[in-house]
Amino acid sequence: MHTPAELADIAADVLARVRDRSPRVHCITNTVAQNYTANMLLAAGAVPSMTISPDEIVSFVAGAEALLVNLGTFDEERRRAIAVALDAAGTARMPWVLDPVFIERSPGRAAFARELLARGPAVVRLNAAEFGPLFGGDPADKVAARVAEACGTVVALTGDNDIVTDGARRAVIANGDPLMALVTGMGCAGSALVCAALAVETDAWLATNAALIVLGVAGEVAAEATHGPGRFASWIIDALHSLDRTTLRARLKVS
């Protein structure tokens, strides 16, 4: 297993590679989160695209290095776009992230998410409420590890602490700030950052840890300068843009 110091350096290295390579991340995400997700990716050094047009999406996915499938806006147009995009990603052997937003509120959405899970996402990033409808059972450490191993994916169970497991390895990240929960699209942007990390790091467990560490530490830095969600929403973008190895090493809280 990696020590906290090693994980801090890995996160810094992954972020440096994103900044150096400017990977393209195509996002099929909800309309509420599109602008914020794009700005967070740009702040990290990645290049976002968002189209779901059937005339364009194959070309956009083919030109990307990672794909985000977010179910926040679950309309027919996005359902069709997801199917086409995953075919293109499969042809390119491209890593993709499933973010099954609000599947606990809709049986149809949950059923579709389970269909997507069978298509082999590199990472599933979800919260505790979404865990049961997708995987079954309670979102405990041991259950997350079992389903990650069974599905051949990395499970990133996010909340007050973020649990990242591939079945064999596990990390619990305690970075972040409560203000992050008051910004619409923060989790969606986190999933997009996982995509950016996957574009430059082939080990999906390390990539996921790196992205969530970077996001959590940026949230802590931003929260020190403000006490409300309005300014925080923009200041975390600034914090992400200027984040460095020294800050990651000093602030990382992982076990």
Side-chain angles (χ1 to χ4, degrees):
M1 292 297 292
H2 296 277
T3 66
E6 288 171 338
L7 284 175
D9 280 336
I10 288 167
D13 290 341
V14 169
L15 182 58
R17 275 180 264 155
V18 171
R19 289 167 173 169
D20 181 59
R21 300 182 193 177
S22 299
R24 294 183 177 272
V25 177
H26 191 76
C27 305
I28 301 176
T29 190
N30 64 81
T31 54
V32 175
Q34 282 181 312
N35 183 71
Y36 197 73
T37 296
N39 284 333
M40 290 284 273
L41 283 170
L42 288 167
V47 178
S49 56
M50 302 279 172
T51 186
I52 59 171
S53 167
D55 297 329
E56 297 182 321
I57 193 164
V58 171
S59 296
F60 271 84
V61 173
E65 290 152 88
L67 171 69
L68 170 63
V69 175
N70 176 301
L71 301 185
T73 306
F74 189 60
D75 53 33
E76 186 58 33
E77 186 177 19
R78 278 174 175 74
R79 286 185 65 150
R80 291 196 301 268
I82 288 167
V84 174
L86 287 179
D87 286 344
T91 299
R93 297 185 178 180
M94 180 185 304
W96 65 281
V97 174
L98 173 61
D99 189 341
V101 178
F102 287 152
I103 60 171
E104 77 279 12
R105 302 189 186 184
S106 166
R109 187 184 292 236
F112 185 65
R114 289 191 290 270
E115 292 176 11
L116 295 180
L117 180 63
R119 299 195 64 167
V123 179
V124 180
R125 193 215 65 83
L126 75 174
N127 61 35
E130 295 155 353
F131 189 93
L134 184 62
F135 294 120
D138 295 325
D141 271 8
K142 291 182 179 179
V143 178
R146 284 200 300 270
V147 298
E149 185 173 16
C151 297
T153 189
V154 171
V155 173
L157 181 61
T158 58
D160 292 340
N161 293 328
D162 298 337
I163 300 169
V164 182
T165 180
D166 62 0
R169 296 172 291 180
R170 168 188 172 275
V172 180
I173 303 165
N175 292 100
D177 188 88
L179 284 173
M180 297 172 75
L182 301 180
V183 177
T184 297
M186 184 65 70
C188 305
S191 295
L193 291 174
V194 173
C195 284
L198 286 169
V200 300
E201 172 54 60
T202 58
D203 186 322
W205 185 79
L206 290 178
T208 304
N209 276 290
L212 296 180
I213 288 167
V214 163
L215 180 63
V217 172
E220 291 180 358
V221 172
E224 290 182 348
T226 183
H227 301 290
R231 289 183 178 179
F232 176 82
S234 59
W235 287 4
I236 191 174
I237 295 174
D238 291 347
L240 177 60
H241 177 69
S242 60
L243 198 59
D244 58 27
R245 185 181 302 271
T246 300
T247 304
L248 287 166
R249 283 175 171 173
R251 288 181 173 270
L252 178 61
K253 297 187 284 287
V254 66
S255 58

